[in-house]
Amino acid sequence: MNKIGEKPVVLITGAGRGIGRGIALELAQEGFDIAGCDIVFEPENKKSGLFEVQQKVQMSGAEFFPVKGDVALLDDHGKILHEVLKKFDRIDILVNNAGVAPKVRTDILEATPESFDRVLDINLRGTFFLTQKVAGEMIRQLKDNPDAKHAIIFISSVSAAISSTIRAEYCISKAALSMTAKLFADRLSEFGINVYEIRPGIIETDMTAPVRERYDKLIAEGLVLQKRWGFPADVGKAVAALAKGYFAYSTGLVLEVSGGMNIQRF
Ligand SMILES: NC(=O)c1ccc[n+]([C@@H]2O[C@H](COP(=O)([O-])OP(=O)(O)OC[C@H]3O[C@@H](n4cnc5c(N)ncnc54)[C@H](O)[C@@H]3O)[C@@H](O)[C@H]2O)c1
């Protein structure tokens, strides 16, 4: 078991695939131990999901502890935190990555309350209350170890600022998540806990697989200045820079990882 004073421990939500997986692989290279939480938990499956990530991370010499949990269920939050502390006895960094797109892209004039609630429950409400719980634990740990360097990183999206009228609930969830990051940055500054937001652009994962051809076309037409898909490792490297403390004087930072989608052109 890891003890205080050994490697810093990161809890990543939605770590079983995609961007969360990419973050885990990068942080493992950078000297962190990892607790990876996901709603999908299949110990017998070593080809994909948390237990594939575990094998990959452990090959690089870091610890990876799979945790079953649904960020939308507030009752799961205590269990997730309890398991992480039982395993590592500390939590240094939280990466709020778990998130979903609407199951069906629907025009804002036809958007349903069911989809709205599902997306907001996972992307916003659940993430808000998990952060509240973990922040409380970080504050508690600071009493024993005042020099500890904690941080919280939110993975929002360029959709926090860009309108897509066929997935309004997603854009709304990410815009509100951006304010959530700002609010926690404000409140936690007195404890020296830095809070950051990363806005990925178009990243190649299972989430974007259904719209692959549409996005290929948009990228080729110039929507992304750097004219390529982003990869989970692009986001992972940005998280690693924040987690390592290279932006120590920048709490509240909003970091775009989007190949320049934030630049408006005329
Ligand atoms: N892929 C993109 O282009 C893109 C762009 C901007 C932002 N993002 C954001 O990045 C994050 C990761 O996206 P991705 O593309 O890797 O998605 P993904 O669907 O490929 O992976 C998401 C992971 O989160 C897990 N998950 C889903 N709901 C959960 C819940 N309630 N509790 C715990 N785990 C849950 C899934 O099982 C999965 O392992 C999301 O917040 C997404 O909104 C993605």
Side-chain angles (χ1 to χ4, degrees):
M1 186 200 277
N2 196 322
K3 291 278 179 297
I4 299 276
E6 295 181 2
K7 286 184 179 180
V9 172
V10 184
L11 170 60
I12 306 168
T13 65
R17 71 180 198 190
I19 291 174
R21 177 180 182 276
I23 294 168
L25 299 184
E26 292 298 326
L27 289 179
Q29 304 283 348
E30 296 289 341
F32 293 89
D33 279 339
I34 296 156
C37 156
D38 209 289
I39 193 169
V40 179
F41 190 87
E42 302 169 338
E44 70 291 347
N45 181 2
K46 308 278 195 262
K47 294 218 160 64
S48 63
L50 285 180
F51 293 83
E52 182 272 337
V53 183
Q54 181 184 44
Q55 285 187 330
K56 198 106 201 241
V57 164
Q58 288 182 341
M59 279 195 284
S60 63
E63 185 69 53
F64 184 93
F65 179 56
V67 183
K68 182 176 166 49
D70 179 346
V71 299
L73 295 181
L74 273 49
D75 283 350
D76 275 12
H77 296 172
K79 292 181 211 155
I80 294 167
L81 191 56
H82 176 75
E83 282 200 45
V84 175
L85 295 176
K86 199 164 90 180
K87 168 74 179 168
F88 293 114
D89 205 18
R90 62 189 284 176
I91 180 165
D92 297 82
I93 293 172
L94 169 64
V95 182
N96 284 311
N97 164 76
V100 292
K103 284 183 181 159
V104 183
R105 292 173 172 235
T106 313
D107 184 89
I108 187 170
L109 297 177
E110 310 290 339
T112 65
E114 292 75 23
S115 180
F116 191 96
D117 289 348
R118 170 179 170 268
V119 171
L120 273 284
D121 276 356
I122 298 169
N123 295 5
L124 180 64
R125 182 176 182 272
T127 302
F128 176 94
F129 286 105
L130 178 65
T131 304
Q132 187 189 64
K133 188 162 270 317
V134 173
E137 172 60 23
M138 289 174 172
I139 292 166
R140 196 195 62 70
Q141 287 182 17
L142 281 167
K143 295 197 177 98
D144 298 334
N145 182 11
D147 296 329
K149 291 274 170 282
H150 295 108
I152 298 175
I153 300 164
F154 288 83
I155 306 300
S156 68
S157 168
V158 290
S159 298
I162 299 176
S163 162
S164 298
T165 56
I166 52 169
R167 46 191 189 115
E169 60 274 58
Y170 184 77
C171 297
I172 291 166
S173 74
K174 293 299 186 179
L177 194 65
S178 178
M179 176 51 83
T180 304
K182 188 181 286 193
L183 287 161
F184 276 110
D186 181 355
R187 184 64 182 91
L188 298 178
S189 60
E190 75 171 88
F191 303 102
I193 301 172
N194 282 3
V195 181
Y196 308 103
E197 175 191 351
I198 292 181
R199 291 185 179 174
I202 300 176
I203 311 296
E204 190 179 53
T205 68
D206 288 295
M207 182 183 274
T208 46
V211 282
R212 168 99 218 175
E213 281 176 23
R214 184 165 170 259
Y215 283 177
D216 276 345
K217 188 164 174 289
L218 289 170
I219 291 168
E221 287 168 358
L223 178 69
V224 177
L225 293 188
Q226 290 183 244
K227 290 222 171 187
R228 69 161 172 87
W229 281 75
F231 302 112
D234 290 312
V235 183
K237 287 181 198 309
V239 171
L242 298 173
K244 291 288 279 182
Y246 294 143
F247 291 84
Y249 194 52
S250 303
T251 196
L253 177 73
V254 180
L255 184 54
E256 284 259 351
V257 182
S258 68
M261 282 180 77
N262 50 318
I263 297 176
Q264 291 194 341
R265 280 161 294 158
F266 181 48

